[in-house]
Amino acid sequence: MRVGRRFVGSTLFLTICTVAGDHVPYRPFTIHLDQHYDAVLTESDPLRRRPPLGHEHRWRFDGQQGQPITLTAESYEFDTYLVLLDPKGREIAWNDDEGWFFNAQICTTLPVTGRYTVIVSGAMADHYGSYRLSLRAGHHARPWDEDRVRAYYERGRQWAEQRRSQRAISLLNLALGQFFRERRQWKQAEIYFARSRQVAEQAGFLFGQWAVALERGTMLTDRRRYDEALGELERALTLSARLRAAGEAEAMVRAQLGDLYHVIQKRDLAELHYRRALNLAEQSGSPSALVRVYASLYGFYFGQDQEKALTYAHRAYTLREKVSASQQVRSTYTLAWGLAATGKFEEGLRLAQEARQAAHRLGHRAEEISILTLMSMTYYKLNRLDEMVHAAREAAALTTSEDEDPEPRRIALQTQATGEMLRGNYEEALRLCLEAWHTTESAWLREPAEDLRQDFLAQSKAISVQILRILNALNTKQPSREYIRQAFNFAERSRSRALLVHLAALNRQSRPTVDPELLGQEQQLLEQISAFGRRIVLARSGIGVDVADIGRLKEERERLIAERLKLGAQLRAQAGGLEVSSVSPLTAEEVREHYLAAYPNAAILFYQLGIQESFLIVLTRQGEYLFKLPDWATIGKAVTEWRAQIRRQVNPDERTAEAWRDYLHIAHELYRMLVKPAADLIRGRDLIIVPDRMLHNLAFEALVSSGPDDHGQAPRYLIEDHAVTYAPSISVLAEIDRRPPMQAGKEVLLVGDPVFGEPIPRQSSPSGGADIAKQRGIGERDQHLALTARFQTLLTSLLRNISSWVKVTSSIQANSLSVITDPSRLRSGLQRIPSTRKEVVEIARLARQRRWRPTLWLGQEARKEKFTRADLSTYRVLHLATHGVADEKDGELSALIFSGSGDQGQNDWVLTAAEIARLRINADLVVLSACETGVGQMTSGEGVIGLSRAFMLAGARRVCGSLWKVEDPSAERLMAAFYRGMLDAGLGPARALQRAKIEFLRRGAWPVAWAPFVLIGSPR
């Protein structure tokens, strides 16, 4: 049974052949028919279940020890499965489709003399019909080229028309469609799939309809047409429930759905389908289904749990002899990949070579490209450079620049370029990388869906890192500023392109004309998806919920996301998509001549991290400079240690002399790695930092420039010498600066002191936030107890149906800076945070002194509904002091939590990043005085997707967010000092934040208290 390739059966008439081979003495075989004289499996046949087989017929023949034979079961009406038993009834050989189309073939040498048994079966319980069984002396495996395939197809079609077998006609067209799909000849494949579906629907042939839907869903996924693929796979999922082999059929569909969601980086949805597919495959016992799922699970877990991934690879390989030829290729390649990835290069290479030969013989171009690329990478590890380049060149030759998925070509070209670079052929390596770049860039421009463009951007970023390596080598060989300028140009083009395009569209204030009804449907879907997101956020409170509803809730959310993906395709077709080609990132020359002209005292630190080595590009008004840094593993390890030391400081009891020395050591080590190479160039300058990967989680301001052993001197932090801002890319900053400034507006919206679980009074206090206890006339302790009881009861009721999301998000929380001490000290969880009232009241006082016009929403007035319905475009500053939640798996689920009530339910509590991005604001500054508002989902090309990015998409020029859970009292004082700098001293946001932090550290505060808040966006 072929999984993800060929799934179905065909048909023929009974003929028993005994033909001698060319080089084997003729010895006639005696065929004994056990039960049936005519070989026709019928739907009513008793099912002798041998998982995963369907109906069975048994035949016997007398054979001689050492006799080579070829057994073939051919059919146009179903997928044949052959099993050969020795005289003692032990299985010695089996096959699914070695004879091509849906034909099984066994070529073997008989081990003993005696009576052998041949079992002919359908590969699934839904398979039955006529077939032809032949037994010949000698080995007669036939290669299948296109001419043989078409001739076979014509014979089968004539047979089917003579016998009026609609099943055969449907399956013959399906098989030919599969043939062309495996060779990536999409147009030809579509023709035969369409014919197969039409006949299957006319004949009411459910299995044929299911198989076409799964095949097309697989093909459309390969072509990156994910909205269409989802439609086909949903159809296949519905049809699978009506088949006899329902569990096996559903397992295959869910495995493909998992692959689709994995490709588009919806890991939670991919995991949902993989888990269901694994359970169903194990229940069915189908080797084909199990191999299909195991191979996918290997790819899914490869990057996060290599040991677990390798276990699945071994399981797939163990079953290789019980599955189809294409599945054998997949299982062998999967284990080869796993072995090579764990350092067993010779073993991996041997299996890869075996898989390559099989893929080439079958004509499976995509698999052969992947295997050749793996072989090339393995040759690299073995330092066999000539073989490395040759294998990569062969892989690239099997691709074209017009392929809808450019990744196989990109990887092959990059691998070949690596080999050429190692051989010292830098110019040839650069040519190959530029070819890979243009291939990926063209695909990025063609792709209308933003989510899918991110994948292409990640590919471009991988290429840009390699280009930087080559340009650095050329620059070392013969120094030239032109090499450095090119390095920046490629690096900048690989960053935050989607954000850049959206900001450009926002500046133009132009919206394409689309069907209002479709827009309404999209808005409704977004709201429903956001509702699930809000439930997920609330589930993080840890309140127990009913496990029984986990699957239903996950599947409902997945259904909504799938609907949004398909609807988005319709909207893009009407609107023509965003004009991505009209928005060009800045070049190094443009940055120096135009952007830095407005910031002559600034220095740009642009980081590009790579597997083998990383780079820092420095741009000032005077020139461009390139520095080589350690690889990302070394940098990542240091950043992880730095965050561990910050986490250690959360607990006051841990703030010891030893902890202080440990922090200074790692903070200086990171300074030495990342900043010191450019120390002379940046002296006395403001810094604009464009981080990469794990550097998004690093507060550069808290790095220490003086070493821990500098003769007892006080440490000197980077913030003491530089005002620092962060940016997704320099082009994004330039696009922000193109916006017209606000007209002398001095409106400030201050939101703080949210409360949870208490009904909202019918009339709000005129003061805009009077104390709730005073309004109700109860004591503070009684009010707290009542609030807590009400809150617990409400959340238990609300979250009973979503306990699974606690598990989904627990790993995220485990990786963040966890709460070690009294939770009331931190702006996390869902307890009330009283210092936020003091914070916003003090900011309001400072604003009034400078004749700004503050608006305060405190207590129950700090509601999400009020915030989203207000005209936010009138406020120059938005300050939100509340709870924040970062989601590292799905950045659009990062959220701010507003006041919630038992009267209105949880929908008025949580504002997700997805909802924020759809707001319209015009603020110079958004301050998110909450936990982890500057972090979120880390992506390769777009940077961090979370709250800060959402507010920039909504129209903010700069966002002040936090990199970890912040202490409530410290945040209150830091924010007050920040605003004093802006309002009293007239400083810009970057300088004001710098002054506030210096004020804190000179009072002896540890970095955990003053370093979490960073400024993202325009430095002006």
Side-chain angles (χ1 to χ4, degrees), residues 25-40:
Y26 175 74
R27 185 183 296 275
F29 293 98
T30 304
I31 303 295
H32 297 271
L33 305 183
D34 283 356
Q35 294 179 332
H36 301 279
Y37 188 76
D38 59 339
V40 180

Side-chain angles (χ1 to χ4, degrees), residues 874-895:
T874 61
Y875 295 102
R876 189 165 188 170
V877 176
L878 299 177
H879 184 99
L880 307 175
T882 179
H883 292 300
V885 179
D887 194 315
E888 295 178 356
K889 285 190 175 181
D890 188 342
E892 291 191 342
L893 294 184
S894 298

